[in-house]
Amino acid sequence: GENVEQHPSTLSVQEGDSAVIKCTYSDSASNYFPWYKQELGKRPQLIIDIRSNVGEKKDQRIAVTLNKTAKHFSLHITETQPEDSAVYFCAASILNFGNEKLTFGTGTRLTIIP
Amino acid sequence: ETGVTQTPRHLVMGMTNKKSLKCEQHLGHNAMYWYKQSAKKPLELMFVYNFKEQTENNSVPSRFSPECPNSSHLFLHLHTLQPEDSALYLCASSQEPRIMGKNIQYFGAGTRLSVL
């Protein structure tokens, strides 16, 4: 089955600096890669996603890049703000018996230092 | 607030108790999921229901028993749990997992379960 690895597990950056979180996946058939943000005590929420036919996608301060050859994808947050502090999860999706199935990474706890 | 509601938010139970977790979605989705979230572990998919039919059981112990009476409601019945089952249990729904691009998952706030 699919295996998703996520690094680093914790990340602290100064407010205003950039943060990068990286994920690798094992199954080359995976073709959908969402990123979820989970604030303390709250539900995971989708913040950005990318499909395998695209190499990069950007939404304001957040961007995701995908390298299908190397089987890795990354989340980039620029001009970080205190409200960016949360746990971020990457995931990879594969068709499993006709259904899309998400496999999640272990999460990255991002702390923005004011 | 999203359209996925879970109750209760917190639950403490003994190993001999029987309890149930409830999830309800108001998004008109066809698929519902149970995930287990433990500290320092990835979100673990437990069960998937698509159009009320279970399409995935991810080797979950039989002390967890799911029930999906319709596309909007999902239950997780718990009995004779172990302390290591203590975790956050998240419910999610998606529109249509058989169609690529229709599987964005929306999560509930979770039930924090403690087994004593």
Side-chain angles (χ1 to χ4, degrees):
Chain A
E2 174 67 285
N3 182 46
V4 176
E5 295 191 0
Q6 183 171 346
H7 300 280
S9 56
T10 60
L11 178 61
S12 295
V13 301
Q14 287 292 140
E15 182 178 352
D17 287 351
S18 296
V20 181
I21 302 170
K22 298 181 179 180
C23 288
T24 61
Y25 61 99
S26 60
D27 196 324
S28 57
S30 291
N31 58 8
Y32 172 63
F33 307 91
W35 285 88
Y36 284 83
K37 174 184 180 183
Q38 187 176 24
E39 297 177 52
L40 189 62
K42 296 192 175 180
R43 70 195 74 207
Q45 290 193 297
L46 180 73
I47 54 171
I48 195 167
D49 56 10
I50 192 168
R51 295 217 167 260
S52 59
N53 57 344
V54 176
E56 183 174 359
K57 184 177 178 180
K58 191 172 180 181
D59 183 4
Q60 298 183 336
R61 297 186 297 108
I62 294 173
V64 57
T65 57
L66 171 65
N67 184 327
K68 284 218 73 180
T69 304
K71 290 190 281 189
H72 66 70
F73 55 112
S74 300
L75 178 71
H76 305 254
I77 306 174
T78 58
E79 301 171 23
T80 53
Q81 300 169 5
E83 53 265 34
D84 295 329
S85 293
V87 178
Y88 292 81
F89 294 93
C90 64
S93 177
I94 190 171
L95 269 179
N96 183 50
F97 296 103
N99 293 312
E100 252 192 348
K101 176 183 173 182
L102 286 180
T103 301
F104 285 86
T106 48
T108 297
R109 182 172 300 280
L110 174 64
T111 302
I112 307 302
I113 305 166
Chain B
E1 282 293 314
T2 71
V4 182
T5 305
Q6 288 187 245
T7 54
R9 292 295 309 276
H10 302 273
L11 178 62
V12 179
M13 59 188 289
M15 289 191 283
T16 58
N17 291 158
K18 288 185 180 181
K19 297 285 184 184
S20 295
L21 310 185
K22 180 182 175 182
C23 178
E24 185 174 359
Q25 58 95 1
H26 306 278
L27 300 169
H29 288 169
N30 297 313
M32 296 186 77
Y33 309 77
W34 280 118
Y35 286 90
K36 177 182 179 182
Q37 187 176 33
S38 306
K40 299 185 179 180
K41 282 188 174 182
L43 279 163
E44 299 173 62
L45 179 65
M46 301 174 72
F47 301 104
V48 181
Y49 278 82
N50 195 17
F51 289 95
K52 300 188 298 177
E53 290 193 15
Q54 188 179 120
T55 56
E56 181 131 5
N57 176 338
N58 216 19
S59 302
V60 181
S62 59
R63 57 185 184 270
F64 295 91
S65 175
E67 179 190 0
C68 187
N70 54 61
S71 293
S72 299
H73 293 85
L74 184 65
F75 296 89
L76 188 62
H77 304 300
L78 316 170
H79 64 99
T80 58
L81 293 192
Q82 305 297 312
E84 58 265 29
D85 296 322
S86 298
L88 181 68
Y89 288 84
L90 289 164
C91 172
S93 71
S94 69
Q95 185 176 352
E96 175 51 83
R98 294 173 300 184
I99 300 175
M100 301 297 281
K102 298 280 188 187
N103 197 32
I104 294 175
Q105 294 189 20
Y106 295 84
F107 285 86
T111 295
R112 174 71 61 187
L113 174 66
S114 297
V115 182
L116 304 178

